[in-house]
Amino acid sequence: MYVCPAGQELNYRTTGRTGFQQYASDPEQCKSCPFLNECKQSKNHRRVVTRHIWEDSKDGVRNNRLNQGLWMTWVSRQSEPPPLAAISWPSTAPAAFW
C-alpha cells in the first residue's frame, strides 16, 4: 500500500500485461488537497503510482548489495586462497576425460 504526502492511501487499481501494478488515489479527496501542486498536476486530480511486480525483490537485492557487512564478507573471501579440493579434478571423472 502506498501513501501520498497528505496521508491518503493509494489503492490498488490494476496490473498490466507487462507486470506493472498501478495504485491510484481518490480524485475527490485530491481536489481539496493542500499538496496538490507538489504532488501531481493532472486534469482529473488523481495521483497514480506505477510499480513493477518484481520491484520488492529488486529493492531487497539493492539493500543487500549496499550492506556493509555483506561487502566485507565478500572482500575477505576474495583474499583467501581457494581450498585444494575446489581446484582439483573430481575422482568420478570418466576415463576418456583423462
Side-chain angles (χ1 to χ4, degrees):
M1 173 118 36
Y2 296 96
V3 179
C4 78
Q8 179 187 350
E9 296 178 356
L10 303 178
N11 297 321
Y12 171 77
R13 204 163 100 188
T14 186
T15 301
R17 290 183 181 180
T18 58
F20 285 94
Q21 296 176 332
Q22 289 185 352
Y23 297 86
S25 64
D26 181 20
E28 295 300 321
Q29 292 181 0
C30 289
K31 284 182 182 177
S32 61
C33 179
F35 297 106
L36 186 60
N37 292 333
E38 297 172 20
C39 184
K40 186 84 171 186
Q41 293 185 3
S42 64
K43 293 178 182 177
N44 60 357
H45 302 290
R46 174 174 280 199
R47 175 159 177 105
V48 177
V49 174
T50 304
R51 192 167 163 94
H52 198 270
I53 56 174
W54 295 338
E55 203 66 34
D56 292 333
S57 299
K58 290 167 56 177
D59 287 341
V61 169
R62 283 187 203 107
N63 290 336
N64 285 341
R65 183 178 60 86
L66 299 174
N67 186 339
Q68 187 67 26
L70 292 176
W71 172 253
M72 294 307 294
T73 302
W74 182 81
V75 168
S76 67
R77 287 183 181 166
Q78 299 304 312
S79 63
E80 297 174 5
L84 186 59
I87 58 175
S88 64
W89 292 100
S91 60
T92 59
F97 187 73
W98 298 104

